[in-house]
Amino acid sequence: MSRKTTKDLETVELNPVVPPRRALLDWYDKHRRVLPWRALPGEVPDPYRVWLSEIMLQQTTVATVKPRFDAFLDRWPRVEMLAASPLDDVLAEWSGLGYYARARNLHACAVAVVDRHGGKFPNTEKELRDLPGIGAYTAASVSAIAFDRPATVVDGNVERVVARLNAITEPMPSVKPKLRALSVPLFEGDDRERPGDYAQAMMDLGATVCVPAKPRCDRCPWFDQCEGRAACIAHTLPRKAKKQPKPQRVGLHLWLVQQDRILMRRRPEKGLLGGMLELPTGGWQSVVAARDADYPALMNQLPLKGRWRMLPGSVGHTFTHFHLTARIAVPHGEIIEPDGEDWRWVSIDELGDVALPTVTAKMVRHAMAKMAEPDADLFEAAS
Ligand code: SF4
């Protein structure tokens, strides 16, 4: 085992564990995962597939991404075809994967690759980072995996392996910069053999051997070098800071159906669920607990004039930074028709073809179920 100091670590005085690269590459050659976006041994990686998978895998599991990746690739086998496709088609295909800004950036990035680079992805981290939706991690990973260039690729799996190798007991997320610094000599030290395979080997080691709850250290190529294993604390690493409860918000949305069409509205382009369809609402209100919701106040903010009754029950949805509890109101009497280009009547038959974010799809299902209940317990409130 060797320990090295790199220029990245000068200020933090770290002494990282750098186990033999060859041991991990040999392990990878025997145990690598077969994934739809990954080149088989001897094949040249396709940057388009690598990039597409990296965008899809942000915040989404491998199991969820696999079938969706195949569907995307069937529909748009080349970046030029994706770039030429209407954004709405891309958003519809993305439906249910969440974080819709990714889908918008995906489309914008495809357009940029075609316009700026003639349909060929650039190979340096710097040029990749200039493209829409590509941050430091994705640039490093595409550069390493698609172009076999040395880059420090630190995802959650790699953080776990590095925390254990070095027996780092400080909690996440504040320890992240330290884990990244400790990773640099692993990826970009003196030995830079097969950078693309090495990055994927690190990810595979974390996903299949150095797994969160019970690391399978007896199968690990770095068993001898691992300080966390030697100290019998590997399974507790990386430690996590105590979680703060998520803030709560509440909302009131409208269910207006005419001639088998549902009234929806497009959200503002910028911000959460940017440009996606929602059941009309006057906005969400921060509360200490969902029971503190002030529904009369929310009624007064509704974007349509009329009288409304609330359906029983509520819809819960957890976003990255808060939890939403939404109730649905239905019209009670005349409604003044909306005016403006944000509004859209969506045919019930068309629901499977439009890009609905998960939270809107949940509300639609909830409203349909409650409206179908013959004895639905409705009560009245006027806007
Ligand atoms: Fe992870 Fe165990 Fe390998 Fe250490 S020895 S890197 S804890 S699997």
Side-chain angles (χ1 to χ4, degrees):
M1 170 173 61
S2 64
R3 281 177 168 268
K4 297 181 181 177
T5 303
T6 75
K7 61 181 168 34
D8 299 71
L9 306 177
E10 279 168 7
T11 53
V12 281
E13 297 280 324
L14 293 179
N15 193 19
V17 175
V18 183
R21 190 176 183 100
R22 165 87 353 230
L24 183 64
L25 287 170
D26 287 347
W27 172 86
Y28 180 69
D29 289 339
K30 290 196 194 96
H31 302 288
R32 55 188 287 156
R33 289 178 294 172
V34 176
L35 299 169
W37 46 85
R38 188 178 272 182
L40 294 169
E43 283 182 357
V44 177
D46 175 355
Y48 173 57
R49 294 167 77 103
V50 173
W51 161 76
L52 182 58
S53 69
E54 288 296 340
I55 302 296
M56 288 185 138
L57 286 165
Q58 291 167 10
Q59 321 280 344
T60 310
T61 64
V62 167
T64 303
V65 166
K66 273 184 184 173
R68 305 302 299 272
F69 176 84
D70 289 339
F72 250 81
L73 214 64
D74 280 350
R75 193 159 175 185
W76 299 293
R78 294 186 5 247
V79 69
E80 291 87 350
M81 297 166 87
L82 181 60
S85 180
L87 173 61
D88 277 350
D89 288 1
V90 178
L91 292 171
E93 193 66 53
W94 192 270
S95 189
L97 281 171
Y99 303 96
Y100 288 86
R102 282 188 294 162
R104 297 176 164 277
N105 280 329
L106 186 87
H107 187 258
C109 185
V111 171
V113 166
V114 171
D115 288 353
R116 294 186 214 160
H117 300 282
K120 285 196 178 357
F121 279 85
N123 62 9
T124 65
E125 286 181 73
K126 182 178 177 311
E127 286 173 296
L128 284 161
R129 281 198 73 166
D130 284 342
L131 292 167
I134 298 194
Y137 167 77
T138 306
S141 128
V142 173
S143 181
I145 297 171
F147 299 106
D148 210 25
R149 294 173 67 95
T152 300
V153 184
V154 184
D155 67 358
N157 284 323
V158 173
E159 282 175 342
R160 184 166 59 256
V161 170
V162 172
R164 289 170 174 177
L165 274 179
N166 294 277
I168 300 295
T169 55
E170 293 128 279
M172 296 282 264
S174 56
V175 76
K176 275 173 175 275
K178 185 171 180 178
L179 294 179
R180 185 182 161 77
L182 287 164
S183 303
V184 172
L186 289 172
F187 286 91
E188 300 183 65
D190 297 338
D191 183 358
R192 298 181 173 196
E193 187 185 1
R194 295 168 58 193
D197 283 345
Y198 187 77
Q200 292 174 99
M202 284 288 280
M203 294 172 185
D204 282 14
L205 186 72
T208 64
V209 173
C210 197
V211 290
K214 291 184 183 162
R216 300 169 182 137
C217 300
D218 54 332
R219 301 182 196 177
C220 181
W222 288 343
F223 179 94
D224 290 336
Q225 294 81 25
C226 181
E227 297 193 347
R229 187 225 25 100
C232 298
I233 57 169
H235 64 289
T236 70
L237 304 177
R239 302 220 166 122
K240 292 194 179 77
K242 211 171 160 214
K243 262 197 175 168
Q244 297 296 321
K246 285 211 177 188
Q248 299 263 341
R249 292 187 199 173
V250 292
L252 181 61
H253 290 252
L254 302 179
W255 180 249
L256 188 53
V257 179
Q258 285 178 2
Q259 296 163 349
D260 287 337
R261 296 175 313 156
I262 305 163
L263 183 64
M264 295 199 182
R265 196 169 61 165
R266 205 172 274 288
R267 289 178 63 84
E269 289 295 326
K270 291 217 179 299
L272 186 66
L273 305 176
M276 303 303 296
L277 289 172
E278 66 178 1
L279 296 185
T281 180
W284 299 331
Q285 174 189 67
S286 292
V287 290
V288 177
R291 65 175 174 276
D292 300 332
D294 183 354
Y295 285 108
L298 288 169
M299 284 247 173
N300 288 332
Q301 292 165 14
L302 288 174
L304 293 177
K305 293 278 174 253
R307 302 178 74 208
W308 303 90
R309 299 179 301 170
M310 286 221 271
L311 290 179
S314 61
V315 176
H317 187 77
T318 301
F319 293 96
T320 318
H321 301 301
F322 65 93
H323 181 80
L324 173 71
T325 303
R327 293 202 64 182
I328 313 283
V330 296
H332 183 63
E334 281 290 300
I335 300 298
I336 297 177
E337 284 265 352
D339 191 20
E341 58 186 23
D342 293 344
W343 297 92
R344 177 166 162 191
W345 287 97
V346 177
S347 150
I348 290 178
D349 293 340
E350 193 196 342
L351 276 178
D353 301 326
V354 293
L356 290 187
T358 304
V359 64
T360 302
K362 277 186 189 177
M363 289 183 199
V364 168
R365 281 197 298 274
H366 176 81
M368 284 178 158
K370 294 300 173 190
M371 291 299 286
E373 282 178 15
D375 299 321
D377 176 24
L378 306 186
F379 65 91
E380 186 174 330
S383 69

